[in-house]
Amino acid sequence: MSGGGPGARVLRVLTGCTAVGKTEWALRWAEANGAEIVSCDSLLFYRGLDLGTAKPSRADRARVPHHLVDILEPGDPMNVARYSGLALRAVEDIAARGRPALVVGGSGFYLKSFFSAVADRWAAPPEIRARVAGLLGSGGLAAVRAELVRLNPQGLGTLDVKNPRRVTRALERCLASGRTIAELAADFARLPGQFADWRIEIVRLDRPKPEMDARIEARTRAMLESGLVGEVRGLLAAGLRQNPSAAGAIGYREVIAVLEGRLREAELAGAIAANTRALVKKQRTWFRTQLPPHRLLHAGEPAGESELFPAIAQFDR
């Protein structure tokens, strides 16, 4: 639980790893409580990305209204600032109609926008962006990283130093602000999030590893048997490559590798399952270290939808 005092509006968040079973839990609870679902999945925005995302079906969406699903073409980009604005409008619209909102998804970058600020004031001016781009072009990521290290003698914290976009963005912000990564992080942590006046109740679903592995294998088989390869062919024709985030998502990137001859079709299912298991491991780490206090629920245990958001007294960090 975070934010808000007595009488504050309540926003409920249901999260958990890929393939844990969030969709059916969310549908049951939303139906029982007259709620509407706000998606927090980085791929459900896109029309046509259906099989590889295990997108809620049309029948599911007929059961419960869904927001922020199928709002973009495959080649259109999404970022956290844009998402947070759309999510705020959706939640406030639902509340204005007197209905509960249930945020559902496991995309940490977008999920974080519900309980922390998403943007700060240090937008790099064009000349700094050009300077950093020139350094990247002439010396590669190593040169950008070296300059960032020079400006941050105390270290780079948790920055993913192998990610060019994040490293260049960090250098731009340091140059624009004249501050270190640690100082910028401290400043950012003090900024209020857009849901600061809401009481946020979070439930995370999980299952034991053997159970998750079996579900991942079954989900992978179902995607392929339902026609994932054909879906990707159509998406490529619709501009999927223009959106590196979507084209690089698990399921889609492996099929693209098969279509381009970089992966044998016989290896496709194994590659998707292995990469999904690796993603689940990363997601669990993120939930443990980044998610605010929340309730942990075993998704495989028999439970009624009324048990999803009881009076929350015990939390897991």
Side-chain angles (χ1 to χ4, degrees):
M1 185 184 300
S2 63
R9 293 181 292 179
V10 179
L11 180 63
R12 295 169 180 86
V13 177
L14 178 64
T15 190
C17 301
T18 295
V20 76
K22 297 182 293 294
T23 298
E24 188 54 37
W25 276 84
L27 288 169
R28 292 204 314 264
W29 188 87
E31 278 187 313
N33 293 276
E36 299 183 20
I37 291 173
V38 178
S39 174
C40 185
D41 185 298
S42 63
L43 295 176
L44 297 194
F45 309 131
Y46 301 109
R47 302 181 188 98
L49 274 74
D50 300 331
L51 300 176
T53 63
K55 182 178 290 179
S57 66
R58 292 188 182 278
D60 292 337
R61 284 178 271 170
R63 289 170 61 185
V64 174
H66 282 63
H67 300 262
L68 308 188
V69 175
D70 285 350
I71 59 172
L72 298 175
E73 295 303 324
D76 295 336
M78 175 64 87
N79 58 52
V80 69
R82 183 180 182 186
Y83 172 78
S84 65
L86 292 170
L88 178 61
R89 286 195 290 276
V91 169
E92 289 187 330
D93 177 61
I94 294 166
R97 288 185 278 106
R99 306 191 71 180
L102 176 62
V103 175
V104 181
S107 297
F109 196 49
Y110 295 100
L111 191 62
K112 201 167 184 177
S113 69
F114 290 96
F115 48 82
S116 66
V118 298
D120 59 30
R121 59 194 178 94
W122 298 115
E127 59 270 21
I128 287 181
R129 291 201 302 272
R131 175 180 164 187
V132 174
L135 183 61
L136 181 65
S138 62
L141 181 60
V144 179
R145 192 163 50 225
E147 178 64 5
L148 194 58
V149 168
R150 186 184 70 80
L151 296 174
N152 291 269
Q154 302 304 313
L156 303 182
T158 59
L159 180 70
D160 181 356
V161 296
K162 295 181 180 179
N163 186 315
R165 184 179 63 82
R166 294 186 181 178
V167 172
T168 54
R169 169 72 172 137
L171 180 56
E172 289 172 356
R173 293 174 70 245
C174 287
L175 291 172
S177 65
R179 299 171 71 77
T180 66
I181 287 175
E183 291 169 336
L184 288 167
D187 290 346
F188 188 71
R190 288 190 287 269
L191 294 175
Q194 61 184 7
F195 288 97
D197 294 332
W198 292 65
R199 188 171 85 250
I200 300 178
E201 298 181 353
I202 305 171
V203 171
R204 174 165 64 95
L205 299 177
D206 207 349
R207 296 173 186 261
K209 186 178 183 301
E211 197 173 319
M212 283 297 298
D213 288 348
R215 289 178 62 85
I216 289 168
E217 296 287 342
R219 174 168 155 159
T220 300
R221 286 195 304 272
M223 287 176 176
L224 292 172
E225 290 169 0
S226 298
L228 179 60
V229 173
E231 176 174 287
V232 175
R233 282 199 183 98
L235 289 167
L236 288 171
L240 181 64
R241 291 185 195 279
Q242 299 169 27
N243 187 338
S245 295
I250 294 172
Y252 295 96
R253 70 185 188 223
E254 293 86 359
V255 172
I256 291 172
V258 168
L259 295 176
E260 293 180 344
R262 295 181 285 107
L263 181 69
R264 291 187 302 165
E265 189 165 359
E267 300 171 328
L268 179 56
I272 293 174
N275 290 334
T276 304
R277 288 193 295 271
L279 173 61
V280 165
K281 184 177 180 180
K282 288 177 63 176
Q283 287 177 316
R284 282 197 176 115
T285 299
W286 191 91
F287 293 138
R288 286 196 302 269
T289 60
Q290 301 292 318
L291 202 61
H294 60 279
R295 180 168 173 257
L296 181 63
L297 188 64
H298 179 196
E301 292 177 350
E305 64 277 350
S306 62
E307 297 179 48
L308 190 55
F309 285 98
I312 299 177
Q314 294 182 346
F315 294 92
D316 164 75
R317 284 189 181 272

